[in-house]
Amino acid sequence: MSVAILGGGIMGLSLGYCLARQGVAVEIFEASPVLGGLAGPLVLEDGVAVDRFYHAILSSDSHLLGLFDELGLADQFRCRETRMGFYHQGRVYSMNNLVEFLRFPPLGWIDRFRLGLTILYARRVRDWRSLEAVGVEQWLLRLGGRRTYENIWRPMLKAKFDGGFDDTPATYIWSRLVRMTSTRRGASQKELAGHLIGGYATLMQAMARSIEAVGGQVHLQSPVQQIVIEQGRARGICLNGERRTFEAVVATMQAPIFRRLIPDASPEYQSYLGQTEYLGIVCPLLVLDRPLTGFWTLNITDDRVPFTGVIETTAYIDPRYVGGHHLVYLPKYTAPGSPWQTMPDEEIRSIWLKSLTEMFPDFDPRSIRYFLVHRERYVEPLHRLNSAHLIPDVQTPVKDLFLVTTAQIYPALTNGESVSRHADQAAQIIRQSGQGSSVVSAGLPRPVPAADRAAA
Ligand SMILES: Cc1cc2nc3c(=O)[nH]c(=O)nc-3n(C[C@H](O)[C@H](O)[C@H](O)COP(=O)(O)OP(=O)(O)OC[C@H]3O[C@@H](n4cnc5c(N)ncnc54)[C@H](O)[C@@H]3O)c2cc1C
């Protein structure tokens, strides 16, 4: 079976790695000059490579850790205890253990107790489908009460969804709570986050080498122009104006990009794909000569701050691995059509720095070595209430054409762990179809979040 895989991000490479090891002849086509997609690297002016966006690997990411073992990368994985905090009404609060939690001033005793119960309850939910029809606001109000909702959840959700989240199901916050608490171990409840030396690029390169070692091919700077569809069947791809024939084609990019590559698919399928929406991101990276907060994540519950959080990855990456720099990302998630996406870099810089200086009066702008604004339009698929039927299947209506994309990952959050797990499951579907089994188009078995795995 010869398979063209479109996209050299974590999804495309994980899929290529799985299929190539099972004897499938794969060729990966990546539009950009480097592998990695959203998890790709960025080379600073001084030649140091860093992750373009922040990427933590958690100690509970068992699938990824398994991949590191298989690829001989385990000794390049570094993991550290980290700290997280809250920025609330002009002050930073550490929130790392029970004592700090019980002292958190915006909440009274009963609120704190209910917040604790919300987290415990979330970890015990077995059937996420029961949350699919419940709004996130309703769920959080019921479990945690009004004060916790107004002080913590509402501002965080507003920032994450760039305004409205009325039709967001409770599954969103449930998945997040499960992931964020899955790494806390033992009585100390310490939080562990990690990275590969060299960032996610190290994993991508290792997977590419492994694919090539068994005869597969990885092509960079190869933007596929169109997927060739004839008589309801995918026949290959169009690249640099030339046709290349394959027995199957797998697209791993986001649905709106995929849609543009299939002008010959039915209008019904195209308009179905058009219903998949994404959050985008505007994410300045501050490269500093000193630490800023010491927290890996600082959640912001203040509407006046334009960014969603302060993420300092050098809280868990030893700066010696990134040229002695301190890396701080200040992401702003953007709703479809958000004006933040088109705002000039200079304007973003001035708004962001004004806010940062107000938050941290000791912050010295002279500590900035680089201020780099990065943007992406399709980052996180948006799932609305009762809309699981809008999740596209891996098997498309076009024979021998498959879509393996982050929009299919639900209710788990999209990250390296869930993406590589999903790619594994999708590889089985593609292999089965190549062996002539009919694929039931009832959707993919959804990745099971950590709490359910533990319970299973
Ligand atoms: C700000 C931010 C923070 C994140 N934090 C974390 C984190 O802490 N931990 C974690 O594990 N994950 C994190 N993630 C999520 C993670 O980066 C993504 O889930 C993952 O990278 C998605 O990979 P993908 O391969 O599905 O998609 P992509 O990375 O988007 O890959 C798709 C690829 O397809 C290519 N492509 C598009 N069109 C064509 C074409 N016509 N021809 C050929 N190639 C094409 C693109 O160039 C791209 O490389 C974060 C993401 C962001 C943006």
Side-chain angles (χ1 to χ4, degrees):
M1 191 184 185
S2 66
V3 177
I5 297 176
L6 280 46
I10 307 181
M11 190 77 89
L13 284 163
S14 307
L15 187 69
Y17 171 72
C18 271
L19 289 174
R21 282 177 12 130
Q22 293 168 25
V24 176
V26 299
E27 284 191 49
I28 297 183
F29 297 89
E30 166 54 45
S32 78
V34 285
L35 292 172
L38 290 173
L42 154 86
V43 180
L44 301 173
E45 251 174 53
D46 62 3
V48 173
V50 300
D51 277 355
R52 192 160 60 104
F53 297 113
Y54 46 96
H55 278 94
I57 296 166
L58 304 186
S59 50
S60 53
D61 287 346
S62 55
H63 191 260
L64 273 182
L65 298 183
L67 267 179
F68 299 167
D69 277 340
E70 276 171 31
L71 291 160
L73 300 176
D75 62 343
Q76 296 186 54
F77 179 58
R78 296 286 180 278
C79 199
R80 259 194 192 176
E81 186 187 332
T82 56
R83 297 198 305 139
M84 69 96 112
F86 274 81
Y87 180 80
H88 184 80
Q89 290 183 349
R91 278 196 58 188
V92 172
Y93 297 95
S94 181
M95 190 63 124
N96 288 285
N97 52 45
L98 196 59
V99 177
E100 288 175 348
F101 178 72
L102 293 175
R103 280 192 190 140
F104 192 46
L107 305 179
W109 281 101
I110 293 176
D111 306 319
R112 288 172 204 156
F113 179 69
R114 289 184 72 177
L115 178 57
L117 277 186
T118 307
I119 295 166
L120 285 179
Y121 178 78
R123 290 184 66 161
R124 293 199 188 298
V125 169
R126 308 265 157 119
D127 180 15
W128 60 266
R129 284 178 183 82
S130 63
L131 303 181
E132 170 64 16
V134 182
V136 66
E137 176 175 353
Q138 185 193 343
W139 193 68
L140 288 170
L141 274 173
R142 181 155 48 85
L143 289 175
R146 169 76 49 193
R147 194 144 50 161
T148 309
Y149 179 75
E150 291 298 338
N151 275 300
I152 298 190
W153 297 120
R154 193 194 58 78
M156 282 171 62
L157 286 165
K158 198 170 154 219
K160 174 73 192 195
F161 290 96
D162 193 15
F165 52 89
D166 290 352
D167 52 0
T168 300
T171 44
Y172 167 75
I173 206 78
W174 170 72
S175 293
R176 202 178 162 91
L177 285 174
V178 167
R179 177 160 171 84
M180 292 320 295
T181 53
S182 65
T183 174
R184 291 180 180 247
R185 291 275 154 78
S188 66
Q189 292 287 292
K190 289 192 170 133
E191 184 160 62
L192 300 172
H195 68 104
L196 282 170
I197 298 173
Y200 255 120
T202 302
L203 174 64
M204 311 289 174
Q205 285 153 12
M207 286 197 286
R209 278 196 304 272
S210 172
I211 291 166
E212 286 167 346
V214 292
Q217 294 179 47
V218 179
H219 309 278
L220 295 175
Q221 289 181 292
S222 302
V224 171
Q225 290 148 326
Q226 192 175 324
I227 294 168
V228 180
I229 299 173
E230 286 166 354
Q231 282 121 33
R233 186 174 201 140
R235 303 282 182 182
I237 58 170
C238 194
L239 181 70
N240 298 326
E242 282 177 22
R243 178 178 165 147
R244 299 268 328 264
T245 302
F246 289 90
E247 287 167 275
V249 177
V250 188
T252 70
M253 65 282 286
Q254 293 80 357
I257 307 177
F258 169 58
R259 194 176 163 210
R260 293 199 283 269
L261 298 179
I262 48 167
D264 296 330
S266 72
E268 292 78 26
Y269 185 54
Q270 296 206 19
S271 75
Y272 173 73
L273 287 174
Q275 296 178 70
T276 308
E277 291 182 300
Y278 293 80
L279 283 176
I281 202 158
V282 175
C283 187
L285 161 61
L286 269 74
V287 180
L288 305 176
D289 66 6
R290 64 197 80 162
L292 179 68
T293 66
F295 291 99
W296 162 30
T297 305
L298 195 63
N299 298 297
I300 297 172
T301 60
D302 186 332
D303 286 355
R304 292 163 303 175
V305 179
F307 32 89
T308 318
V310 179
I311 319 288
E312 189 161 352
T313 55
T314 34
Y316 63 85
I317 301 173
D318 188 325
R320 77 191 154 104
Y321 294 125
V322 285
H325 299 309
H326 293 264
L327 308 177
V328 177
Y329 298 80
L330 302 173
K332 164 77 198 149
Y333 283 87
T334 58
S338 168
W340 291 104
Q341 275 292 346
T342 46
M343 191 175 278
D345 285 3
E346 268 318 300
E347 215 172 316
I348 298 268
R349 180 187 166 110
S350 110
I351 296 172
W352 258 236
L353 287 184
K354 180 171 176 291
S355 207
L356 203 62
T357 317
E358 281 163 10
M359 288 173 76
F360 306 105
D362 292 340
F363 171 68
D364 181 354
R366 285 172 305 183
S367 64
I368 303 176
R369 289 175 173 158
Y370 307 107
F371 187 106
L372 305 160
V373 181
H374 299 114
R375 303 159 201 258
E376 288 287 343
R377 247 175 228 284
Y378 307 121
V379 168
E380 238 182 85
L382 276 169
H383 296 281
R384 313 279 190 190
L385 278 171
N386 293 314
S387 65
H389 63 286
L390 293 178
I391 298 174
D393 278 335
V394 167
Q395 169 79 70
T396 73
V398 178
K399 193 158 176 2
D400 300 329
L401 175 60
F402 301 89
L403 174 64
V404 184
T405 185
T406 48
Q408 293 155 342
I409 299 175
Y410 178 78
L413 302 176
T414 53
N415 48 57
E417 171 73 6
S418 60
V419 167
S420 58
R421 211 174 259 282
H422 181 69
D424 248 29
Q425 295 172 341
Q428 282 176 36
I429 294 181
I430 294 163
R431 284 264 296 143
Q432 279 166 16
S433 90
Q435 287 162 352
S437 333
S438 63
V439 176
V440 184
S441 97
L444 189 70
R446 307 278 173 233
V448 185
D452 275 10
R453 284 205 300 279

